[in-house]
Structures are given as structure tokens and as C-alpha cells.
């Protein structure tokens, strides 16, 4: 019962950990490469609006809209998001790197504006917490397995239902004896 | 042993419940500003020409307030929370002991002027941030927002949402007093 509960809890924790964990395997390296090539293309004077817009979308989908906080800066229709997209667009045209643009925004709105929080003392729990939960869950899992192994040997010798059978046998015998004794008295 | 390990899920549940309860009570709109303790953005903006403003210069430069603490109140005529805030600003404007600059954020000049004529002008100067760029420099993500800036030009306080009497007496006035004390030293 307890083991069952612990394992279920571990499963839930694992699931939530995987949800909390910012997806590292996502599009990050690809967009980085793409935006680099775009910026070099822009500097080599082939700069077209399409390239700027592509980089704007790639960058602003990594950024949070501060008005409607569950939307990215790329998808939000809030006036502030439009203004910030305008700023980002101008900075892309000015030849600023992605890191410079993100610095510009975090200097004003804090780390909250990025979906990918920076590695810092304050964000340590956010980055390492899921790993800690994973280790805890694995530990509980292993503990549960080792306990089950230990329980199996005595369980075969005298399983709980056999014990209860024997008890009910004993009770039945007692009752028969009592009845027999009462009959003899009569 | 058995008893204590049986309690572990309960403890985890209680810990999670506490965590979630605290999380629910936090205001998700209250994003801490990274600008606290940093120099306020320096800007020059057009002034809204008001009949009751004696200073006839057309632009306002934030540098002109250097050396004294001041309040920057970001508002707009299209902002409903500003309607609730405005009477508080009117009531406190003489008790501040510091200039309060009104930043009409992404507003039409006509609408902003009408607002001030209808509801009264608590500001010592009103300036127009028509494209919202100064707002972005101040990290404004919703109106109203109120900043307290000390004599050295450092942002010492940011309040998001409407200013109430409690916010005035518990946050803004103390921040101004602290800024004055620090400035006198």
C-alpha cells in the first residue's frame, strides 16, 4: 500500500519535473545557428525585410509578453508587445546580436522576459530542482524494490491468507468443541 | 519505522500544498523591476501644454530634476485603473514635497489634456510619451506605474498598479523621505 503510493507519487513528481524542466533539446541550437547566418547575411548587404522578420520571429518566440504573460512576444497582440517587437526589429536592423537584444530587454524587464532563465544563484533551484526530484524518485523506487525482495521469502512460507485460514479453522474447531461440551452437559 | 515512513507522502503533500498556497497569493502582475537601485533613464520629451503650467519650455528633460527626489507617474487617459488612482494623486500632490511628473503613456495629446481638465492636474509637469519609448526604458509594462527617483537620479521605488492612500503613506512618502535624508548627507 505504502509502496504503491510512493511509486505513484514518484511517477507524478517525475512527470511534473519533466514539465518544469525547460526543454534544452528544443530548437535553441538550430535557431542560434540560423540567426547567426542571418545576421552575417544582413551585414553582407543582402539584408532583406524577410530575413529581419524571420529573425524577429525566432528571437521573440523566446521572449515573454509582459502584459499577457502566457504568450510569447512573437504571438501577442498586446500594444506593448507590438512596441517591443518594433524595438527588437530596429535593433536587428542595427546589426545587434541576439545576446545584445536580450540584454537590452532584461535590463528593463528583468529575467522574467526570457522563457529560458539564466544560470544564476537565484535560478539554481529551477535548473537543478527537477534533477533532485528525479534522484529522489529513483531512490524511492530502488528502496521499494529492495524491500519487496526481502518480503518475498517469508511471504511464501506463511502467506497472510493461509494464516487467516488457520485462524478460521481454529475458531470453527473451538465452536464445535463448545457445542459438543454443551450437548454432553444436557 | 513503518509509522514514520507512512507519513512521508503526507508531509510531501503538506509541503506542496503550502508551496501552492503561497504561489496563489503572489501577484503575478507584480514583476520585480531590475531598475531599482540603477540610474533612471535620461530622457527629453514634449510637454503637454497646459494653461496652468507656468514653465513655457516646450520640452522637458529629466536631467533638470537632478539634485532633488521626484516622482514619475505613468498614466494614460485610456487606462481604467488610472481613473481610480487619479483622486489619490490629487489629494496627495501638496503633501509629497517633491515634484510629480506625469508621463502620458501612448496617449493622444487631446485625450490627455481633456482628462487633466476634467479630473484635475496633480502633476507639476505633464509630458507626452507618444510612442512609448521612454516607457520601455523605464520597464513599464502596464499603466499606471509610479517611480520614485532620488536626487542622484537613482530609481529607489517602483509601484505597479494604481496608487492608493495606503501605497502613498506606506511606500511613496517613506521612499521620498529616505531619498531626502540620503541626499542631505
Amino acid at each position: 500500500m505504502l509502496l504503491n503510493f510512493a511509486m505513484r507519487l514518484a511517477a507524478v513528481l517525475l512527470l511534473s519535473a519533466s514539465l518544469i524542466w525547460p526543454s534544452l533539446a528544443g530548437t535553441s541550437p538550430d535557431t542560434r545557428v540560423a540567426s547567426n547566418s542571418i545576421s552575417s547575411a544582413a551585414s553582407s548587404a543582402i539584408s532583406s525585410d524577410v530575413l529581419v522578420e524571420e529573425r524577429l520571429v525566432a528571437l521573440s518566440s523566446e521572449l515573454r509578453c509582459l502584459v499577457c504573460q502566457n504568450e510569447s512576444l512573437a504571438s501577442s497582440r498586446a500594444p506593448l508587445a507590438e512596441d517591443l517587437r518594433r524595438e527588437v526589429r530596429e535593433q536587428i536592423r542595427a546589426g545587434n546580436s541576439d545576446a545584445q537584444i536580450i540584454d537590452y530587454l532584461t535590463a528593463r524587464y528583468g529575467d522574467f522576459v526570457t522563457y529560458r532563465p539564466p544560470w544564476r544563484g537565484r535560478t539554481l533551484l529551477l535548473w537543478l530542482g527537477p534533477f533532485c526530484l528525479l534522484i529522489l524518485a529513483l531512490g524511492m523506487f530502488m528502496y521499494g524494490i529492495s524491500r519487496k525482495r526481502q518480503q518475498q521469502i517469508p511471504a511464501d512460507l506463511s502467506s497472510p491468507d493461509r494464516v487467516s485460514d488457520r485462524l478460521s479453522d481454529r475458531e470453527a474447531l473451538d465452536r464445535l468443541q463448545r457445542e459438543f461440551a454443551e450437548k454432553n452437559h444436557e | 519505522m513503518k509509522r514514520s515512513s507512512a507519513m512521508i507522502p503526507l508531509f510531501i503533500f503538506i509541503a506542496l500544498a503550502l508551496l501552492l498556497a503561497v504561489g496563489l497569493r503572489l501577484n503575478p502582475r507584480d514583476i520585480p523591476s531590475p531598475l531599482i537601485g540603477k540610474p533612471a533613464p535620461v530622457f527629453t520629451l514634449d510637454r503637454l501644454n497646459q494653461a496652468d503650467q507656468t514653465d513655457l519650455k516646450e520640452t522637458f528633460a529629466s536631467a533638470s530634476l537632478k539634485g532633488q527626489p521626484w516622482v514619475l507617474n505613468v498614466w494614460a487617459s485610456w487606462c481604467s485603473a488610472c481613473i481610480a488612482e487619479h483622486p489619490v494623486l490629487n489629494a496627495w500632490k501638496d503633501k509629497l514635497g517633491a515634484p510629480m511628473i506625469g508621463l502620458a503613456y501612448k496617449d493622444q495629446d487631446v485625450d490627455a489634456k481633456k482628462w487633466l481638465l476634467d479630473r484635475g492636474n496633480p502633476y507639476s509637469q505633464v509630458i507626452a510619451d507618444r510612442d512609448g519609448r521612454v516607457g520601455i526604458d523605464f520597464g513599464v509594462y502596464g499603466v499606471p506605474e509610479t517611480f520614485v527617483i532620488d536626487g542622484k537620479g537613482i530609481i529607489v521605488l517602483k509601484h505597479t498598479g494604481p496608487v492608493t492612500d495606503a501605497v502613498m503613506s506606506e511606500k511613496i512618502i517613506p521612499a521620498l523621505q529616505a531619498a531626502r535624508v540620503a541626499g542631505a548627507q
Side-chain angles (χ1 to χ4, degrees), chain A residues 122-151:
Chain A
R122 282 188 59 186
T123 57
L124 224 55
L125 189 67
L126 188 68
W127 283 104
L128 297 182
F131 277 130
C132 295
L133 287 178
L134 179 72
I135 290 165
L136 186 77
L138 282 176
M140 283 172 87
F141 186 69
M142 302 297 267
Y143 174 71
I145 285 179
S146 69
R147 255 180 58 139
K148 202 160 197 181
R149 285 237 175 94
Q150 281 171 0
Q151 278 175 350

Side-chain angles (χ1 to χ4, degrees), chain A residues 2 5-6 9 13 66-67 69 79-80 83-84 86-87 90 104 106-110 112 136 140 143 147 151, chain B residues 1-2 5-6 8-9 12 16 28-29 31-35 105-106 131-133 135-142:
Chain A
L2 164 69
F5 189 92
L9 188 80
L13 287 177
L66 294 119
V67 182
Q69 298 175 352
L80 178 67
D83 289 353
L84 289 176
R86 177 194 66 199
E87 295 294 319
E90 280 172 13
Y104 167 88
T106 48
R108 283 156 181 77
Y109 295 101
F112 188 75
L136 186 77
M140 283 172 87
Y143 174 71
R147 255 180 58 139
Q151 278 175 350
Chain B
M1 170 58 205
K2 179 99 185 165
S5 66
I8 288 175
I12 293 176
L16 273 176
R29 295 216 52 91
I31 304 166
S33 174
L35 288 163
Y105 176 73
K106 298 196 73 176
D131 53 8
R133 275 170 208 266
I136 288 176
D137 278 342
F138 271 89
V140 170
Y141 58 90

Side-chain angles (χ1 to χ4, degrees), chain B residues 33 45 48 50 62-63 76 78 88 96-97 103 117 122 127 141 144 151-152 162 168 170:
Chain B
S33 174
L45 279 180
L48 278 183
Q50 275 288 130
S62 64
W78 45 263
V88 178
L96 281 177
L103 185 82
L117 285 174
I127 47 182
Y141 58 90
K152 295 189 192 88
M168 268 292 182
E170 284 159 26

Side-chain angles (χ1 to χ4, degrees), chain A residues 45-91:
Chain A
I46 332 165
S47 118
S48 81
D49 283 351
V50 179
L51 291 178
V52 170
E53 290 306 305
E54 270 176 14
R55 210 180 132 203
L56 174 71
V57 169
L59 187 57
S60 58
S61 34
E62 291 278 306
L63 298 166
R64 189 198 307 270
C65 170
L66 294 119
V67 182
C68 28
Q69 298 175 352
N70 47 3
E71 269 190 295
S72 77
L73 209 53
S75 61
S76 175
R77 294 180 61 118
L80 178 67
E82 281 167 22
D83 289 353
L84 289 176
R85 281 200 298 270
R86 177 194 66 199
E87 295 294 319
V88 172
R89 189 181 290 122
E90 280 172 13
Q91 297 210 10

Side-chain angles (χ1 to χ4, degrees), chain B residues 30-89:
Chain B
D30 208 2
I31 304 166
S33 174
L35 288 163
I36 306 289
K38 300 234 171 71
V42 177
F43 61 89
T44 303
L45 279 180
D46 289 349
R47 293 176 58 243
L48 278 183
N49 287 316
Q50 275 288 130
D52 58 340
Q53 282 173 339
T54 48
D55 189 354
L56 288 173
K57 272 183 290 179
E58 288 297 312
T59 57
F60 168 82
S62 64
S64 68
L65 289 169
K66 199 115 183 167
Q68 60 175 327
W70 56 288
V71 178
L72 181 77
N73 178 249
V74 183
W75 64 282
S77 65
W78 45 263
C79 146
S80 53
C82 300
I83 299 173
E85 178 187 69
H86 206 75
V88 178
L89 299 182

Side-chain angles (χ1 to χ4, degrees), chain A residues 28-48:
Chain A
S28 159
D30 303 5
T31 52
R32 256 320 117 91
V33 169
S35 55
N36 278 348
S37 65
I38 287 167
S39 71
S40 65
S43 60
S44 63
I46 332 165
S47 118
S48 81

